Amino acid sequence: MGKENEATAMEVDGLKSNNPDQINPRYSINVLQLLKSAQMQHGLRHGDYARYRRYCTARLRRLYKSLKFTHGRGKYTRRAINESTVTEVRYLHMVLYTAERAWSHAMEKRQLLDGPNAKQRIYLIGRLRKAVKWADLFSGLCAAKGDSRTSLEAEAYASYMNGLLLFEQDRNWDTALKNFISSRAVYEELGKYGDLENQVLCRERVEELEPSIRYCRHKIGESNLKTSELLQIGEMEGPALDLFKAKLEAAMAEARSQQAASLTEFHWLGHRFPISNAKTRVAILKAQELEKDLHGPTADSIPAEKKLSVFDKIFTAYHEARSFIRSDLVSAGNADSVKDELNGLDKAVSAVLGQRTIERNQLLVSIAKSKLTWRRDDKNEKVTKPEELVRLYDLLLQNTADLSDLVSSGRDRKPEEVEFTEDCDLRSTAFRAQRCFYLAKSYSSAGKRAEAYVLYCHARSLAENALKKFQTVTSTDEVTIKELRTLYNECRANSCIEHATGIMEHEKVSENLSKKVSTISLSGVDKKVEKFLLEKLDVYESAVGEPNVKSVPRIEVFPPAFQSIPRNPIVLDLAYNCIDFPSLENRMKKDKKGFISRLWR
């Protein structure tokens, strides 16, 4: 899709009004399709506004050079763009990408880690004003030089930019609402015509504008949106929603700070711990709001992946609260009463954090159990192995032990804390039974029948003990009791299966041994030699063997046997003895001996 859009843009760039008879040429630009293609290909697919701004700058430089519309070599002399200047469609592209560059720069400042400060916010609003100025110019030029569809799209683009400016300024919500509604109306009408790709893009833009319209109505007072509905709107994706998400997060933080003024105590196990720090109140309040989504009436309809993200946000909020409490402890000095209150609050927040950690790991266990199937409907889906569930139950056992130690760490243990510790011990027993069951499954998949049988029996005894303990407690957990009963029945069935399978394999081993012994001969030649896979390709028979039995695959002989091969031919020189070689004495160096040398012989 992107290559086709680039090709279309290049064709539009290459159009020139070479016809002198045409007095008022009408240019056509598919504005939404052009911008969506550029945004998705150059950074906004991942929210990288800096990369998109660099692309707009490079695109403008190419347009300036190709049109020879530079602003002077030495001294900068600005050249205005008006109706008489627009003699090609590329002039309209120049105005459009200038507006996009200013908008992406403003959104880049909005994405700062701690948010824009006062000076950066002034600069951000200035860039948005610049984007609105160029968008209005683009709309006016398209009304004069473009066709009807281009003019409508340019008008919708300018209305959207005006709405964004007012949205960021937190004022004139009725004017911002009118701009967003007019932009949505244009895209709704344009979505009824054109090709399928254009219709899809127009529908996506309508869906992106809807949250901003609802938020403006909420600020005006025309709608009674709840906090959960606003959060649900903020979970939508799209470049047009990034400013809305930032504004929503700021509004939620302000609402929490106002609501946190009434949160003066933290309740846990029937105890009340005073909260004096305002930042601690806001962090705890944020975590409690997120907990309502997990334990509310609509919790069953929330998908598991979304619940995991909510758990991560809860952990972040409680960790922030603990960091504020620790800083208050450092600044408390020698005030023992204040330190005792802060220590109690820290213990309570840590205990709640431990409970949420256990809940999150239980959610991971349920997800893993749903994927514990030996047959996959989707080939790309990863199947959970029993070893992964063993690891998750190890984490649950560790979390339960840490939580029990934390609650029972005080000197004066209260009845509520003793009851909570007993409940942790009960859950630990249930987790041990589950862990033993999946450990037996892992041994069973490895073909170790005796170990699997013993582990299944041990898991059944653990499940039976846990059931007896849960039945003696007044506050029974029906879900856990049902899981333990199912586990008890599965352990009993699997232990019988492992017992029977082990006996069958034992009998088969003796039978196979007798067969192999009967094939042994004193001559060293086997009576019956199994053929390899490459020797029996016409027979549908496995050469690998059973997965639970360790046997050597009979695919091909390795290393291959030696084979006799012909060597290179030998040439015998028979004429050597019949050749008379010439004498070389005349070429040899002779010794020159004088008179004195003869005396020493």
Side-chain angles (χ1 to χ4, degrees), residues 197-237:
E197 181 182 356
N198 175 72
Q199 294 178 12
V200 171
L201 290 176
C202 289
R203 287 198 208 99
E204 289 179 354
R205 180 48 67 96
V206 170
E207 292 176 358
E208 291 175 358
L209 289 170
E210 190 65 29
S212 301
I213 293 173
R214 295 181 67 182
Y215 187 77
C216 290
R217 286 176 176 170
H218 173 68
K219 296 295 287 187
I220 295 172
E222 296 181 3
S223 64
N224 297 322
L225 282 177
K226 297 181 181 179
T227 305
S228 59
E229 295 177 356
L230 284 174
L231 290 175
Q232 187 176 3
I233 295 173
E235 291 172 358
M236 299 173 63
E237 297 293 336

Side-chain angles (χ1 to χ4, degrees), residues 377-395:
D377 297 332
D378 188 6
K379 294 183 179 179
N380 296 326
E381 185 179 359
K382 184 180 179 181
V383 175
T384 303
K385 296 181 180 179
E387 293 83 359
E388 298 179 14
L389 281 164
V390 173
R391 182 182 60 82
L392 289 174
Y393 277 110
D394 283 333
L395 290 176

Side-chain angles (χ1 to χ4, degrees), residues 304-305 308 362-372 384 389:
E305 289 76 10
L308 291 176
Q362 285 180 324
L363 178 61
L364 291 175
V365 166
S366 62
I367 295 172
K369 284 183 179 179
S370 63
K371 297 179 180 179
L372 189 68
T384 303
L389 281 164

Side-chain angles (χ1 to χ4, degrees), residues 61-277:
R61 188 182 298 112
R62 292 195 298 269
L63 288 171
Y64 282 133
K65 287 185 178 180
S66 63
L67 292 171
K68 298 181 180 179
F69 195 77
T70 55
H71 302 284
R73 287 182 176 273
K75 185 179 178 181
Y76 176 81
T77 305
R78 182 177 179 181
R79 300 178 62 180
I81 301 177
N82 47 35
E83 295 182 11
S84 60
T85 309
V86 181
T87 56
E88 293 186 25
V89 72
R90 287 182 290 177
Y91 286 97
L92 298 178
H93 283 195
M94 188 189 305
V95 180
L96 177 60
Y97 279 106
T98 306
E100 282 290 291
R101 181 177 62 177
W103 169 76
S104 59
H105 199 179
M107 297 303 296
E108 181 184 353
K109 294 296 181 183
R110 168 55 72 182
Q111 279 191 327
L112 294 175
L113 184 61
D114 297 330
N117 52 29
K119 186 176 180 180
Q120 291 168 344
R121 179 172 167 77
I122 293 172
Y123 184 77
L124 185 151
I125 293 176
R127 298 308 298 171
L128 281 179
R129 285 200 183 100
K130 187 74 71 174
V132 168
K133 172 188 172 183
W134 287 101
D136 291 338
L137 178 61
F138 177 70
S139 177
L141 293 176
C142 287
K145 294 290 185 177
D147 57 6
S148 58
R149 179 185 177 87
T150 304
S151 177
L152 275 176
E153 284 201 64
E155 184 180 353
Y157 179 75
S159 299
Y160 171 68
M161 284 296 176
N162 281 278
L164 282 184
L165 176 61
L166 297 173
F167 195 89
E168 178 62 28
Q169 289 177 334
D170 285 337
R171 63 182 185 184
N172 296 334
W173 292 103
D174 51 350
T175 309
L177 178 63
K178 291 178 183 177
N179 284 309
F180 285 134
I181 289 177
S182 61
S183 180
R184 183 186 65 177
V186 171
Y187 287 117
E188 283 179 350
E189 290 298 322
L190 293 176
K192 299 177 182 178
Y193 310 101
D195 55 357
L196 180 61
E197 181 182 356
N198 175 72
Q199 294 178 12
V200 171
L201 290 176
C202 289
R203 287 198 208 99
E204 289 179 354
R205 180 48 67 96
V206 170
E207 292 176 358
E208 291 175 358
L209 289 170
E210 190 65 29
S212 301
I213 293 173
R214 295 181 67 182
Y215 187 77
C216 290
R217 286 176 176 170
H218 173 68
K219 296 295 287 187
I220 295 172
E222 296 181 3
S223 64
N224 297 322
L225 282 177
K226 297 181 181 179
T227 305
S228 59
E229 295 177 356
L230 284 174
L231 290 175
Q232 187 176 3
I233 295 173
E235 291 172 358
M236 299 173 63
E237 297 293 336
L241 293 170
D242 290 339
L243 187 61
F244 169 76
K245 290 180 181 179
K247 184 65 65 178
L248 180 61
E249 186 63 30
M252 293 299 297
E254 183 180 357
R256 288 193 195 101
S257 61
Q258 293 176 358
Q259 190 178 357
S262 60
L263 183 66
T264 58
E265 294 178 343
F266 184 74
H267 300 270
W268 178 71
L269 288 183
H271 304 290
R272 297 180 179 181
F273 302 95
I275 308 173
S276 57
N277 193 343

